[in-house]
């Protein structure tokens, strides 16, 4: 499916930032292969997102672990990019990181300058999120964990135990295909950052994400 051709949202060039915009805040969405990072960026961005999706080839199948991933024919080879305004002065830039292990060398660079991160996970492949959490903790980037709903039950206690999550790290269920659900994850992250006093930036409140 050609997402760009059917997407009614404006291109970035046709949707310039508000003249009063003063602060751009970088958010990274990270997680294992096929957990829905590209989908989340596409669903929540106010502009037509930029992605680097490429068709998966037989060569890639020899090195990528497709366990638990069915029907996937494309993959992110650099990063996804989207944008959502908080208010007239603040805008979130969303970067979706590639999931395959061979692209993990890009992650630390994507984390550089990030205000916070979303770790998106598949509850049937929890171990795929360990490396993302390890790198975020190493880089001291605050994060929340969002369990993408693939039709299974949500067991937060089991997920917390499996990931050894600190009690202060928010954990929630979401549907990356839904703008409202993805927006709620962003609101939770912004509230988490506020609670940590992240860089002392102040806006009218997370509820302005609409």
């Amino acid at each position: 499916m050609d997402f760009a051709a059917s997407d009614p949202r404006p291109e970035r060039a046709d949707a310039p930032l508000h003249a009063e915009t003063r602060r751009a805040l970088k958010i990274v969405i990270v997680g294992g292969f096929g957990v829905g990072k590209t989908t989340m960026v596409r669903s929540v961005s106010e502009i037509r997102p930029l992605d680097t999706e490429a068709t998966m080839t037989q060569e890639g199948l020899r090195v990528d672990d497709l366990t638990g991933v069915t029907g996937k024919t494309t993959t992110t080879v650099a990063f996804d990019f989207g944008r959502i305004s908080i208010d007239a002065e603040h805008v979130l830039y969303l970067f979706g990181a590639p999931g395959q292990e061979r692209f993990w060398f890009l992650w630390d660079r994507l984390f550089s300058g990030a205000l916070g991160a979303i770790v998106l996970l598949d509850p049937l492949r929890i171990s795929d999120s360990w490396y993302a959490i390890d790198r975020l903790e190493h880089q001291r980037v605050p994060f929340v964990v969002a369990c993408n709903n693939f039709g299974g039950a949500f067991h937060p206690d089991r997920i917390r135990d499996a990931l050894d999550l600190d009690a202060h790290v928010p954990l929630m269920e979401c549907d990356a295909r839904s703008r409202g659900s993805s927006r709620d994850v962003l609101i939770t992250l912004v509230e988490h950052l506020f609670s940590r006093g992240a860089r002392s930036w102040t806006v009218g409140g997370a509820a302005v994400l609409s």
Side-chain angles (χ1 to χ4, degrees), residues 10-19 21 46-47 83 85 93:
E11 296 277 5
R12 183 173 51 162
D14 298 323
L17 292 175
H18 196 281
T21 299
E46 67 189 16
I47 59 171
R83 189 184 85 196
S85 296
Y93 285 146

Side-chain angles (χ1 to χ4, degrees), residues 178-206:
S178 163
R179 173 177 169 79
S181 182
S182 298
R183 178 203 59 203
D184 289 345
V185 175
L186 283 170
I187 289 173
T188 299
L189 175 58
V190 170
E191 290 175 340
H192 180 53
L193 295 173
F194 272 127
S195 71
R196 294 172 55 91
R199 299 192 185 180
S200 300
W201 56 279
T202 303
V203 298

Side-chain angles (χ1 to χ4, degrees), residues 6 10 28 30 36-37 50 59 68-69 71 98 106 119 127 138 155 165 177 179 181-182 190 192 197 207:
S6 60
V28 179
V30 69
K37 300 179 296 297
L50 167 70
E59 291 298 319
V69 181
L106 294 170
V119 177
S127 61
H138 178 75
H155 300 288
L165 278 184
R177 300 166 299 180
R179 173 177 169 79
S181 182
S182 298
V190 170
H192 180 53

Side-chain angles (χ1 to χ4, degrees), residues 140-157:
R140 300 181 182 272
V141 177
F143 63 91
V144 301
V145 177
C147 181
N148 198 6
N149 185 352
F150 286 92
F154 179 52
H155 300 288
D157 291 340

